[in-house]
Amino acid sequence: MLKLENVQSGYGNKLAIKEVSLEINEGEIITLIGANGAGKSTTLMTICGVVACRAGSVKFQEREIHKMAPDEIVKLGICQVPEGRHIFPQLTVKENLDMGAFLRNDTEEIKKDRDYVYSLFPILAERRHQDGGNLSGGEQQMLAMSRALMARPKLLLLDEPSMGLAPLVIKQIFEIIKQINKESNTTIFLVEQNANQALHIADRGYVMETGRITLSGPAQELLANTDIQKAYLGI
Ligand code: ATP
């Protein structure tokens, strides 16, 4: 579904990712793990066209997308939930969800999708008239994911959904990521520092160090790898 080949990108004269190659098949949950500053967010932003791809190629469903503008990439079915959520704080929960459906005009289907995200996160239904800015961190993460789902993405890019959240909320968010993947057949690319939880829900994983992929494989293999255990799992 998505293929990066020898991708390079960065900021000013600094290359943040160097010759990154990876593949995501339809229906998979793939995780990209790595330390602070490894280049994980830059990888996601390069896929979305927000950071320019300087070399190599990004293909989505056999189509080259690395020269396309971010809005064109969204229209193809790729949606990102950015690190830090970036919900609209002065809009209500419902209005935030409407913003996710901005490119659609199938009113009945939009309503169905809104009901679906409310069923995933009942707390959002309860708070639908409340301003997004007044939600807790966990609820804002739920809202950011729900807003992205309102665009009916084929590929959902999640940047550190667990960041700053309490363990119980993290558990709930990861369970729902799995549920979204299964129920709505949404392919998921999950960037996480919480390697343990991410690898437990993923099919495969990639490890990134200083802008390069250094290891990849089935999630179970990575979980059993002693170097990964020492470096990322605190075992
Ligand atoms: P984290 O988990 O801390 O978010 P990351 O793995 O997502 O880290 P990136 O945010 O992609 O890493 O950062 C990769 C490198 O690019 C880092 O050295 C970072 O300092 C640098 N970088 C990121 N954003 C910018 C920017 N807007 N301008 C300049 N350098 C940046």
Side-chain angles (χ1 to χ4, degrees), residues 11 14 16 34-43 45 83 159-160 163 191 193 208:
Y11 310 90
K14 177 188 163 80
N36 267 333
K40 305 180 300 297
S41 298
T42 305
T43 304
M45 288 193 286
E83 187 176 322
D159 197 349
E160 307 244 3
M163 190 193 253
V191 157
Q193 279 197 48
M208 185 169 239

PDB file of all heavy atoms in Angstrom, residues 11 14 16 34-43 45 83 159-160 163 191 193 208, ligand 1:
ATOM      1  N   TYR A  11      15.623  19.497   7.423  1.00  0.00           N
ATOM      2  CA  TYR A  11      15.312  20.897   7.711  1.00  0.00           C
ATOM      3  C   TYR A  11      16.569  21.718   7.436  1.00  0.00           C
ATOM      4  O   TYR A  11      17.635  21.393   7.981  1.00  0.00           O
ATOM      5  CB  TYR A  11      14.890  21.046   9.170  1.00  0.00           C
ATOM      6  CG  TYR A  11      13.818  20.043   9.577  1.00  0.00           C
ATOM      7  CD1 TYR A  11      14.154  18.800  10.096  1.00  0.00           C
ATOM      8  CD2 TYR A  11      12.465  20.336   9.396  1.00  0.00           C
ATOM      9  CE1 TYR A  11      13.181  17.875  10.454  1.00  0.00           C
ATOM     10  CE2 TYR A  11      11.482  19.418   9.751  1.00  0.00           C
ATOM     11  CZ  TYR A  11      11.853  18.190  10.274  1.00  0.00           C
ATOM     12  OH  TYR A  11      10.882  17.280  10.616  1.00  0.00           O
ATOM     13  N   LYS A  14      20.191  20.350   7.378  1.00  0.00           N
ATOM     14  CA  LYS A  14      20.303  19.113   8.173  1.00  0.00           C
ATOM     15  C   LYS A  14      19.397  18.022   7.590  1.00  0.00           C
ATOM     16  O   LYS A  14      18.200  18.238   7.410  1.00  0.00           O
ATOM     17  CB  LYS A  14      19.869  19.424   9.605  1.00  0.00           C
ATOM     18  CG  LYS A  14      19.854  18.222  10.518  1.00  0.00           C
ATOM     19  CD  LYS A  14      19.222  18.608  11.859  1.00  0.00           C
ATOM     20  CE  LYS A  14      18.806  17.389  12.633  1.00  0.00           C
ATOM     21  NZ  LYS A  14      19.854  16.712  13.345  1.00  0.00           N
ATOM     22  N   ALA A  16      17.354  14.924   8.300  1.00  0.00           N
ATOM     23  CA  ALA A  16      16.802  14.251   9.490  1.00  0.00           C
ATOM     24  C   ALA A  16      16.538  12.783   9.219  1.00  0.00           C
ATOM     25  O   ALA A  16      16.593  11.953  10.127  1.00  0.00           O
ATOM     26  CB  ALA A  16      15.524  14.943   9.937  1.00  0.00           C
ATOM     27  N   GLY A  34      11.768   4.221  18.078  1.00  0.00           N
ATOM     28  CA  GLY A  34      13.106   4.818  18.119  1.00  0.00           C
ATOM     29  C   GLY A  34      13.156   5.895  19.175  1.00  0.00           C
ATOM     30  O   GLY A  34      12.119   6.339  19.669  1.00  0.00           O
ATOM     31  N   ALA A  35      14.371   6.317  19.491  1.00  0.00           N
ATOM     32  CA  ALA A  35      14.563   7.291  20.569  1.00  0.00           C
ATOM     33  C   ALA A  35      14.136   8.693  20.124  1.00  0.00           C
ATOM     34  O   ALA A  35      13.839   8.917  18.948  1.00  0.00           O
ATOM     35  CB  ALA A  35      16.035   7.302  20.979  1.00  0.00           C
ATOM     36  N   ASN A  36      14.146   9.613  21.067  1.00  0.00           N
ATOM     37  CA  ASN A  36      13.907  11.033  20.768  1.00  0.00           C
ATOM     38  C   ASN A  36      14.818  11.503  19.648  1.00  0.00           C
ATOM     39  O   ASN A  36      16.017  11.249  19.689  1.00  0.00           O
ATOM     40  CB  ASN A  36      14.313  11.877  21.992  1.00  0.00           C
ATOM     41  CG  ASN A  36      13.151  12.131  22.884  1.00  0.00           C
ATOM     42  OD1 ASN A  36      12.010  12.143  22.433  1.00  0.00           O
ATOM     43  ND2 ASN A  36      13.434  12.346  24.156  1.00  0.00           N
ATOM     44  N   GLY A  37      14.246  12.198  18.682  1.00  0.00           N
ATOM     45  CA  GLY A  37      15.079  12.805  17.645  1.00  0.00           C
ATOM     46  C   GLY A  37      15.578  11.834  16.586  1.00  0.00           C
ATOM     47  O   GLY A  37      16.391  12.199  15.732  1.00  0.00           O
ATOM     48  N   ALA A  38      15.097  10.593  16.603  1.00  0.00           N
ATOM     49  CA  ALA A  38      15.574   9.600  15.631  1.00  0.00           C
ATOM     50  C   ALA A  38      15.110   9.920  14.203  1.00  0.00           C
ATOM     51  O   ALA A  38      15.735   9.500  13.225  1.00  0.00           O
ATOM     52  CB  ALA A  38      15.092   8.212  16.032  1.00  0.00           C
ATOM     53  N   GLY A  39      14.000  10.656  14.089  1.00  0.00           N
ATOM     54  CA  GLY A  39      13.484  10.991  12.756  1.00  0.00           C
ATOM     55  C   GLY A  39      12.115  10.396  12.473  1.00  0.00           C
ATOM     56  O   GLY A  39      11.644  10.393  11.327  1.00  0.00           O
ATOM     57  N   LYS A  40      11.446   9.924  13.503  1.00  0.00           N
ATOM     58  CA  LYS A  40      10.150   9.252  13.315  1.00  0.00           C
ATOM     59  C   LYS A  40       9.082  10.231  12.814  1.00  0.00           C
ATOM     60  O   LYS A  40       8.380   9.956  11.840  1.00  0.00           O
ATOM     61  CB  LYS A  40       9.685   8.592  14.633  1.00  0.00           C
ATOM     62  CG  LYS A  40      10.713   7.636  15.222  1.00  0.00           C
ATOM     63  CD  LYS A  40      10.244   6.993  16.517  1.00  0.00           C
ATOM     64  CE  LYS A  40       9.932   7.929  17.662  1.00  0.00           C
ATOM     65  NZ  LYS A  40      11.077   8.721  18.178  1.00  0.00           N
ATOM     66  N   SER A  41       8.952  11.375  13.504  1.00  0.00           N
ATOM     67  CA  SER A  41       7.936  12.351  13.076  1.00  0.00           C
ATOM     68  C   SER A  41       8.256  12.884  11.684  1.00  0.00           C
ATOM     69  O   SER A  41       7.346  13.096  10.877  1.00  0.00           O
ATOM     70  CB  SER A  41       7.882  13.540  14.041  1.00  0.00           C
ATOM     71  OG  SER A  41       7.519  13.098  15.314  1.00  0.00           O
ATOM     72  N   THR A  42       9.533  13.076  11.418  1.00  0.00           N
ATOM     73  CA  THR A  42       9.916  13.575  10.090  1.00  0.00           C
ATOM     74  C   THR A  42       9.503  12.572   9.012  1.00  0.00           C
ATOM     75  O   THR A  42       9.054  12.959   7.931  1.00  0.00           O
ATOM     76  CB  THR A  42      11.446  13.834  10.047  1.00  0.00           C
ATOM     77  OG1 THR A  42      11.785  14.716  11.119  1.00  0.00           O
ATOM     78  CG2 THR A  42      11.869  14.443   8.723  1.00  0.00           C
ATOM     79  N   THR A  43       9.622  11.291   9.323  1.00  0.00           N
ATOM     80  CA  THR A  43       9.199  10.264   8.358  1.00  0.00           C
ATOM     81  C   THR A  43       7.708  10.430   8.049  1.00  0.00           C
ATOM     82  O   THR A  43       7.302  10.442   6.878  1.00  0.00           O
ATOM     83  CB  THR A  43       9.471   8.843   8.925  1.00  0.00           C
ATOM     84  OG1 THR A  43      10.861   8.756   9.265  1.00  0.00           O
ATOM     85  CG2 THR A  43       9.108   7.758   7.937  1.00  0.00           C
ATOM     86  N   MET A  45       5.850  13.122   8.450  1.00  0.00           N
ATOM     87  CA  MET A  45       5.564  14.391   7.772  1.00  0.00           C
ATOM     88  C   MET A  45       6.037  14.372   6.316  1.00  0.00           C
ATOM     89  O   MET A  45       5.469  15.057   5.471  1.00  0.00           O
ATOM     90  CB  MET A  45       6.182  15.548   8.548  1.00  0.00           C
ATOM     91  CG  MET A  45       5.395  15.787   9.835  1.00  0.00           C
ATOM     92  SD  MET A  45       5.793  17.305  10.630  1.00  0.00           S
ATOM     93  CE  MET A  45       7.382  16.932  11.302  1.00  0.00           C
ATOM     94  N   GLU A  83       1.685  14.539  16.448  1.00  0.00           N
ATOM     95  CA  GLU A  83       2.145  14.557  17.840  1.00  0.00           C
ATOM     96  C   GLU A  83       1.592  15.827  18.491  1.00  0.00           C
ATOM     97  O   GLU A  83       1.598  16.899  17.884  1.00  0.00           O
ATOM     98  CB  GLU A  83       3.680  14.596  17.828  1.00  0.00           C
ATOM     99  CG  GLU A  83       4.306  14.449  19.159  1.00  0.00           C
ATOM    100  CD  GLU A  83       5.844  14.402  19.046  1.00  0.00           C
ATOM    101  OE1 GLU A  83       6.376  13.814  18.098  1.00  0.00           O
ATOM    102  OE2 GLU A  83       6.480  14.979  19.934  1.00  0.00           O
ATOM    103  N   ASP A 159       1.075   9.701  15.326  1.00  0.00           N
ATOM    104  CA  ASP A 159       2.362  10.125  15.869  1.00  0.00           C
ATOM    105  C   ASP A 159       2.293  10.207  17.394  1.00  0.00           C
ATOM    106  O   ASP A 159       1.680  11.118  17.950  1.00  0.00           O
ATOM    107  CB  ASP A 159       2.774  11.487  15.274  1.00  0.00           C
ATOM    108  CG  ASP A 159       4.257  11.766  15.484  1.00  0.00           C
ATOM    109  OD1 ASP A 159       4.895  11.022  16.252  1.00  0.00           O
ATOM    110  OD2 ASP A 159       4.773  12.726  14.888  1.00  0.00           O
ATOM    111  N   GLU A 160       2.894   9.226  18.052  1.00  0.00           N
ATOM    112  CA  GLU A 160       2.983   9.166  19.515  1.00  0.00           C
ATOM    113  C   GLU A 160       1.646   9.371  20.226  1.00  0.00           C
ATOM    114  O   GLU A 160       1.512  10.293  21.050  1.00  0.00           O
ATOM    115  CB  GLU A 160       3.979  10.219  20.022  1.00  0.00           C
ATOM    116  CG  GLU A 160       5.317  10.119  19.338  1.00  0.00           C
ATOM    117  CD  GLU A 160       6.453   9.757  20.268  1.00  0.00           C
ATOM    118  OE1 GLU A 160       6.203   9.519  21.454  1.00  0.00           O
ATOM    119  OE2 GLU A 160       7.575   9.693  19.777  1.00  0.00           O
ATOM    120  N   MET A 163       1.691   9.744  24.117  1.00  0.00           N
ATOM    121  CA  MET A 163       2.523  10.750  24.792  1.00  0.00           C
ATOM    122  C   MET A 163       1.778  11.521  25.898  1.00  0.00           C
ATOM    123  O   MET A 163       0.700  12.080  25.675  1.00  0.00           O
ATOM    124  CB  MET A 163       3.051  11.749  23.780  1.00  0.00           C
ATOM    125  CG  MET A 163       4.106  12.649  24.367  1.00  0.00           C
ATOM    126  SD  MET A 163       4.393  13.977  23.268  1.00  0.00           S
ATOM    127  CE  MET A 163       5.956  13.484  22.640  1.00  0.00           C
ATOM    128  N   VAL A 191       3.769   5.585  15.011  1.00  0.00           N
ATOM    129  CA  VAL A 191       5.067   6.024  15.506  1.00  0.00           C
ATOM    130  C   VAL A 191       4.987   6.093  17.027  1.00  0.00           C
ATOM    131  O   VAL A 191       4.063   6.695  17.561  1.00  0.00           O
ATOM    132  CB  VAL A 191       5.413   7.407  14.916  1.00  0.00           C
ATOM    133  CG1 VAL A 191       6.407   8.145  15.773  1.00  0.00           C
ATOM    134  CG2 VAL A 191       5.957   7.259  13.504  1.00  0.00           C
ATOM    135  N   GLN A 193       7.264   6.015  21.000  1.00  0.00           N
ATOM    136  CA  GLN A 193       8.417   5.782  21.883  1.00  0.00           C
ATOM    137  C   GLN A 193       8.084   4.663  22.857  1.00  0.00           C
ATOM    138  O   GLN A 193       8.966   4.052  23.434  1.00  0.00           O
ATOM    139  CB  GLN A 193       8.728   7.054  22.661  1.00  0.00           C
ATOM    140  CG  GLN A 193       9.533   8.029  21.834  1.00  0.00           C
ATOM    141  CD  GLN A 193      10.182   9.082  22.702  1.00  0.00           C
ATOM    142  OE1 GLN A 193      10.796   8.786  23.723  1.00  0.00           O
ATOM    143  NE2 GLN A 193      10.029  10.318  22.286  1.00  0.00           N
ATOM    144  N   MET A 208      14.231   2.858  14.185  1.00  0.00           N
ATOM    145  CA  MET A 208      14.958   3.975  13.569  1.00  0.00           C
ATOM    146  C   MET A 208      15.978   4.541  14.544  1.00  0.00           C
ATOM    147  O   MET A 208      15.677   4.748  15.720  1.00  0.00           O
ATOM    148  CB  MET A 208      13.940   5.043  13.171  1.00  0.00           C
ATOM    149  CG  MET A 208      14.538   6.192  12.426  1.00  0.00           C
ATOM    150  SD  MET A 208      13.223   7.217  11.721  1.00  0.00           S
ATOM    151  CE  MET A 208      13.655   7.123  10.018  1.00  0.00           C
TER     152      MET A 208
HETATM  153  P1  ATP B   1      10.553  12.646  19.035  1.00  0.00           P
HETATM  154  O1  ATP B   1      10.189  11.284  19.467  1.00  0.00           O
HETATM  155  O2  ATP B   1      11.333  13.401  20.066  1.00  0.00           O
HETATM  156  O3  ATP B   1       9.425  13.429  18.439  1.00  0.00           O
HETATM  157  P2  ATP B   1      11.460  11.892  16.386  1.00  0.00           P
HETATM  158  O4  ATP B   1      12.069  10.544  16.281  1.00  0.00           O
HETATM  159  O5  ATP B   1      10.042  12.046  15.971  1.00  0.00           O
HETATM  160  O6  ATP B   1      11.644  12.437  17.872  1.00  0.00           O
HETATM  161  P3  ATP B   1      12.006  14.103  14.650  1.00  0.00           P
HETATM  162  O7  ATP B   1      11.055  15.004  15.355  1.00  0.00           O
HETATM  163  O8  ATP B   1      11.639  13.589  13.314  1.00  0.00           O
HETATM  164  O9  ATP B   1      12.385  12.867  15.579  1.00  0.00           O
HETATM  165  O10 ATP B   1      13.409  14.859  14.561  1.00  0.00           O
HETATM  166  C1  ATP B   1      14.514  14.366  13.787  1.00  0.00           C
HETATM  167  C2  ATP B   1      15.610  15.415  13.812  1.00  0.00           C
HETATM  168  O11 ATP B   1      15.178  16.581  13.109  1.00  0.00           O
HETATM  169  C3  ATP B   1      15.999  15.880  15.208  1.00  0.00           C
HETATM  170  O12 ATP B   1      17.383  16.077  15.241  1.00  0.00           O
HETATM  171  C4  ATP B   1      15.255  17.194  15.360  1.00  0.00           C
HETATM  172  O13 ATP B   1      15.943  18.062  16.221  1.00  0.00           O
HETATM  173  C5  ATP B   1      15.248  17.726  13.934  1.00  0.00           C
HETATM  174  N1  ATP B   1      14.057  18.557  13.674  1.00  0.00           N
HETATM  175  C6  ATP B   1      12.772  18.179  13.838  1.00  0.00           C
HETATM  176  N2  ATP B   1      11.937  19.188  13.472  1.00  0.00           N
HETATM  177  C7  ATP B   1      12.744  20.222  13.073  1.00  0.00           C
HETATM  178  C8  ATP B   1      12.489  21.541  12.579  1.00  0.00           C
HETATM  179  N3  ATP B   1      11.249  21.991  12.405  1.00  0.00           N
HETATM  180  N4  ATP B   1      13.554  22.315  12.265  1.00  0.00           N
HETATM  181  C9  ATP B   1      14.822  21.847  12.421  1.00  0.00           C
HETATM  182  N5  ATP B   1      15.128  20.607  12.874  1.00  0.00           N
HETATM  183  C10 ATP B   1      14.110  19.803  13.203  1.00  0.00           C
END
